[in-house]
């Protein structure tokens, strides 16, 4: 399956809607798209339509979080399914990232 990435930006926030699977095949494209986001911004990523996420995908979010943290930006993950939320909890990422179930 493919991954659809839809980005919208205003002066202070970047909204990203993702749909599909984030795995070893799609994570490089996602990493490229996300890591070029403006520094110091608030990045809000909606994961409502993400059906699968593996460790490669988790690595993308960790890298983005670290990049934004260095530049006083913020990363917010929204509308995670119970399975995705649990995955972030198991890795300890839910304690450092702003994650909302809906």
């Amino acid at each position: 399956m493919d991954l659809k990435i839809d980005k919208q930006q205003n002066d202070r926030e970047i909204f990203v809607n993702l749909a599909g699977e984030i795995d070893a095949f799609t994570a490089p494209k996602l990493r490229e798209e996300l890591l070029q986001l403006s520094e110091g911004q608030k990045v809000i990523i909606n994961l409502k339509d993400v059906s699968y996420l593996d460790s490669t995908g988790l690595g993308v979010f960790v890298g983005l979080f670290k990049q934004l943290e260095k530049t006083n930006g913020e990363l917010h993950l929204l509308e995670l399914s119970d399975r995705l939320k649990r995955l972030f909890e198991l890795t300890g990422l839910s304690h450092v990232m702003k994650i909302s179930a809906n």
Side-chain angles (χ1 to χ4, degrees), residues 16-35:
V16 182
N17 287 306
L18 300 177
E21 296 182 356
I22 305 172
D23 57 20
F25 297 106
T26 60
K29 176 184 173 186
L30 179 61
R31 177 178 285 113
E32 182 180 317
E33 290 284 332
L34 294 181
L35 292 182

Side-chain angles (χ1 to χ4, degrees), residues 21-84:
E21 296 182 356
I22 305 172
D23 57 20
F25 297 106
T26 60
K29 176 184 173 186
L30 179 61
R31 177 178 285 113
E32 182 180 317
E33 290 284 332
L34 294 181
L35 292 182
Q36 63 181 303
L37 297 176
S38 300
E39 297 177 348
Q41 294 270 353
K42 180 178 181 180
V43 179
I44 302 166
I45 301 176
N46 187 318
L47 297 170
K48 177 183 175 185
D49 296 319
V50 171
S51 58
Y52 179 79
L53 175 71
D54 69 7
S55 60
T56 312
L58 283 173
V60 171
F61 292 110
V62 171
L64 178 61
F65 172 77
K66 287 181 178 182
Q67 175 184 320
L68 290 169
E69 187 177 46
K70 288 178 189 176
T71 61
N72 295 318
E74 295 179 33
L75 175 61
H76 295 258
L77 302 178
L78 303 178
E79 297 196 51
L80 282 75
S81 66
D82 289 340
R83 190 174 79 65
L84 290 182

